[in-house]
Each structure stands twice: as C-alpha cells, then as structure tokens.
Amino acid sequence: MIQITDLQIEQKMWPLLRQAFRPMFLLGASFSALAITLWLLVLAQVIELPVYGQTLFWHSHEMIFGFVAAIIVGFLLTAVQNWTGLRATHGRALGILTAVWVLGRLGLLVGAWLPWWLVAAVDLLFLPLAAILLAVPLIAVKQQRNLFFVPVLFLLTLCNALMHFGLQTGQYEIQQLGSQNAVWLVTLLMAIVGGRVLPMFTANGTMTPKAEPIVWLDRIGLGSLWLIFVLNITNFSAMVPALVMALLFATSALALAIRCARWRIWITWKVPLLWSLHVAYWFIPIGLALYALRYAGFPITNSLALHALTAGAMGNMILAMIARVSLGHSGRALQPKPIISAAFMLVIVAAVVRVFVQGLWPELSVYWYALSAFAWVLAYAIYVLVYFPILTTPRPDGRPG
C-alpha cells in the first residue's frame, strides 16, 4: 500500500516521469512522425541530413532502435508494475533513461559531426539500461514468466551492435544481419504479447467468452518464429535450401493466422481499441507469408515483405497499444476520442500503400512512398496531439503512475 509520504512525493513529481509509458510513448510517437517526415524530405532531395553513416542506415536503424525500442521499453517498464506489484521505474531513474534515449536520437541525427564511437556508445546504452531496470523487480519477486523479456532486450542490443559494426567495417551483410534480426525479435515479441492480451481484451471488450489457447498451435507458431530468428542470427539460413525456408515461413504464417482467426476479429468492429489490434496482428502472418513466397521464388523483394512486418504489424500494433495503455495506466476509461479511429485507419492505409499498392505499381513508387509517409505522419501526429495532455498530467484518481 502506498504510504501518505509516498503520495506526497508522487504529487511533487513531474507527471511525465511517473511511469515509463508517459515519456517513452510521447517521445517515441513524436520521433516516429518526425523521422518519417525527414526521410521523405531526403528522398525528395529537399534536404540533406548530417546523419551517422548515411540516410538509408539512419532510416532503418532509427525506426527500429529509436521508435520501436522506445515503445517496447515504455510498455515493459510499465507492465512490470502489474506483474510484480512493485513500483516500476519512475522519477530520476526514468529521467536518466529518457535522457539516454534522447541523446541517442540526437547523436544518430547529427552523427556526421561527432566521433562514431561516441554515437554508437550512447545509442547502445539505452536497451541494456532498460533491461536492468526491468530485471530488478522481476528478480526481486522471483517472477519467472516474464523474465525472458530481459534477454530479449539484450539480444536487441546485439542486433544494434551488429548494425554499428557492419557500418564501421563496411560490411553491409553484417549491418543487414543486425537490422533484419531485430525485426524478427520484435515480430516474436508482438506474437507473444498479442497472444497473451488479445483474447482477454476481446472477451472483456465484447462481453463474449474468451478464446482459450491451443497449446500445440501456439508452440508451432511461436517455435517456428524462434527458429527463423536463430537460423538468421547465426547465418545458417544461408545454408538451408530455399524451399525449406519457404516451408518454415509458411508454417509459421499458417499457425499464427489460425491462432488469430480464433480470436474473432468480426466481433470487434464496434470497438476501435480492439479491431485496431486485430488488424495489426494479421499483418504478422501476412508478412511471413510474403517471405514464404519470396523464398519459393516469387518476385517479392525483401523490402516489400519486411515492411509488412514493420509498417504493417509494428506500426499498427504500436499505435493501437499505446492508445489503449495510455488510457488504462493513466486512470482513464478505455474510450478514445473518435479521431483516434481515424488515426488507426491512417496507419492501416500507410501500410497497405507501402506494401501492396507499391508492390503492384512499382513504377509509381515515389508517389506511393509519399502517400504512405503522409498517412503515417498524420496518424502518429494525431496520437501526440490527443494524448499529450493525458501523458503530461497526473492521474485523475490521484493514484501513483
């Protein structure tokens, strides 16, 4: 139970630093809109950026290790309070963590003017620091179920380090090894977390029975995703016949699609905080199916399949989750403003245009990139504008967080 003195300290604390979701979601979403805007201006040759490495590296790195990493850390360091019953990272510790993230983004943005080792060192500090802050309460209460998130954060750090190493040594394949495997890890996290919360959210939000998991189906879907990551991070995938890789991706796609279908997206259409999550999850088997077709010899580029997982699954799931978590953990009803539904639709449009429309009419790619980027930026800008007062003010019920 929170003591009176604790509540007095809490009330004096800057609201933005009371829970990790507050600065991480606000800054992460803002950075996402800014980064895509800058990327589009670079593609249009309107501006040049003094970025670390070169602009393609900056774009691929920052959308994963800047934007996505911030949201993952914000989610985990908020959820751990519910998991353990202990007060999660807040105050000075959260301020330091946030400052490290901000300095990392600034370093990558103006990295051409800074020593490369300084940029890399600051950037690589964020995820291990978050992992330690996550591990402390989990270990304190001996909470084994969620402890695996800690090594996942360190694995993401390894992927980040591979990107930096590949860039500095001029080995593009190592750089790609880092970025591609980061995508597999985040996809795995989405599949795991989605499988935990979506059936429960759907049952509670629609007042219907919860779809109970089928253990063997979950093991096939998640196990195949783990295998994809292991084969890729060890580079064994280069030695595996393409047809075998195609079957592996197809197996994972099919298992996760069946898993998702059992959660009944069709009963969620009246609840924006639900259908947005379902649509996001469906992009996971879609992306995996595109990779299966690519390995089977169909003319599908890696970029196309990759963006089904990044712009599609990650972009949609992040917006849907932060819209929900920001309300629930700030003590507000799970009833977003109507304009948030428009934001959900916009990020779906961004993904569909980037993956499917651009794939069908590649000769007009420059226009599809612009349309997709505009929809993405507008979607996340709406979130920032609507949720800014929620994330920067105290809970209305006076509780900590």
Side-chain angles (χ1 to χ4, degrees):
M1 181 179 293
I2 300 295
Q3 302 297 318
I4 297 298
T5 53
D6 296 328
L7 289 175
Q8 290 173 343
I9 294 172
E10 185 83 20
Q11 290 167 358
K12 294 178 181 178
M13 189 185 304
W14 187 22
L16 195 65
L17 296 181
R18 294 185 183 183
Q19 278 271 44
F21 76 91
R22 292 175 176 270
M24 291 293 104
F25 289 3
L26 181 60
L27 292 174
S30 301
F31 177 72
S32 165
L34 174 63
I36 292 296
T37 299
L38 293 176
W39 172 242
L40 183 60
L41 292 174
V42 168
L43 288 180
Q45 298 182 333
V46 174
I47 62 172
E48 291 185 6
L49 296 174
V51 295
Y52 172 80
Q54 30 77 20
T55 50
L56 180 58
F57 175 91
W58 176 80
H59 171 68
S60 61
H61 180 278
E62 289 300 85
M63 291 309 291
I64 294 293
F65 296 107
F67 165 52
V68 174
I71 305 303
I72 290 173
V73 167
F75 175 81
L76 291 177
L77 291 185
T78 299
V80 73
Q81 184 162 302
N82 289 347
W83 297 339
T84 64
L86 301 178
R87 187 71 169 93
T89 303
H90 64 286
R92 181 179 299 177
L94 180 56
I96 293 172
L97 181 67
T98 303
V100 169
W101 181 86
V102 171
L103 290 173
R105 309 295 56 83
L106 291 174
L108 268 292
L109 185 59
V110 298
W113 301 336
L114 300 170
W116 73 265
W117 54 266
L118 179 62
V119 175
V122 174
D123 178 52
L124 288 168
L125 181 60
F126 175 66
L127 286 171
L129 183 57
I132 293 169
L133 293 171
L134 177 64
V136 169
L138 289 172
I139 293 173
V141 300
K142 299 179 181 178
Q143 227 255 30
Q144 302 294 326
R145 183 172 185 246
N146 295 305
L147 197 59
F148 84 96
F149 287 114
V150 175
V152 167
L153 291 179
F154 281 111
L155 283 172
L156 279 172
T157 304
L158 171 62
C159 292
N160 194 4
L162 287 171
M163 286 200 73
H164 284 286
F165 180 78
L167 177 70
Q168 295 306 320
T169 59
Q171 299 181 72
Y172 182 73
E173 66 279 6
I174 294 181
Q175 179 183 316
Q176 282 292 95
L177 192 67
S179 62
Q180 189 76 53
N181 281 285
V183 170
W184 296 134
L185 274 175
V186 176
T187 300
L188 182 62
L189 282 177
M190 290 189 296
I192 292 171
V193 173
R196 288 185 181 183
V197 303
L198 259 173
M200 178 181 63
F201 288 170
T202 301
N204 293 343
T206 61
M207 303 298 291
T208 57
K210 177 185 173 184
E212 296 300 329
I214 299 176
V215 177
W216 64 264
L217 183 65
D218 289 358
R219 287 178 177 171
I220 291 174
L222 299 178
S224 54
L225 264 182
W226 270 115
L227 184 55
I228 287 169
F229 168 73
V230 170
L231 289 174
N232 277 277
I233 195 69
T234 58
N235 213 25
F236 282 162
S237 58
M239 300 178 235
V240 177
L243 182 57
V244 174
M245 291 299 297
L247 290 173
L248 178 59
F249 275 100
T251 299
S252 186
L254 181 60
L256 293 179
I258 295 172
R259 189 186 193 217
C260 191
R262 295 185 63 250
W263 302 333
R264 301 162 298 168
I265 188 174
W266 54 88
I267 66 174
T268 69
W269 297 124
K270 293 182 181 180
V271 188
L273 289 180
L274 288 179
W275 62 252
S276 55
L277 282 170
H278 280 262
V279 171
Y281 197 97
W282 270 106
F283 272 101
I284 299 177
I286 289 172
L288 295 172
L290 288 174
Y291 269 104
L293 292 173
R294 172 175 164 77
Y295 273 103
F298 286 80
I300 295 173
T301 66
N302 183 71
S303 177
L304 201 69
L306 182 74
H307 279 85
L309 297 175
T310 53
M314 294 178 203
N316 281 275
M317 188 166 290
I318 284 174
L319 187 61
M321 284 296 288
I322 64 178
R324 184 186 187 94
V325 171
S326 298
L327 292 175
H329 284 274
S330 65
R332 291 169 171 83
L334 296 178
Q335 296 175 349
K337 293 184 181 297
I339 195 172
I340 294 301
S341 295
F344 293 154
M345 291 301 300
L346 281 166
V347 81
I348 292 171
V349 168
V352 169
V353 170
R354 178 62 182 86
V355 176
F356 298 108
V357 178
Q358 190 271 336
L360 291 173
W361 293 282
E363 66 277 6
L364 299 175
S365 289
V366 63
Y367 300 105
W368 304 136
Y369 288 151
L371 178 58
S372 177
F374 178 76
W376 178 288
V377 170
L378 187 55
Y380 276 92
I382 289 171
Y383 169 84
V384 172
L385 291 174
V386 172
Y387 280 82
F388 182 86
I390 294 173
L391 297 171
T392 57
T393 55
R395 290 174 60 110
D397 57 13
R399 294 176 58 191

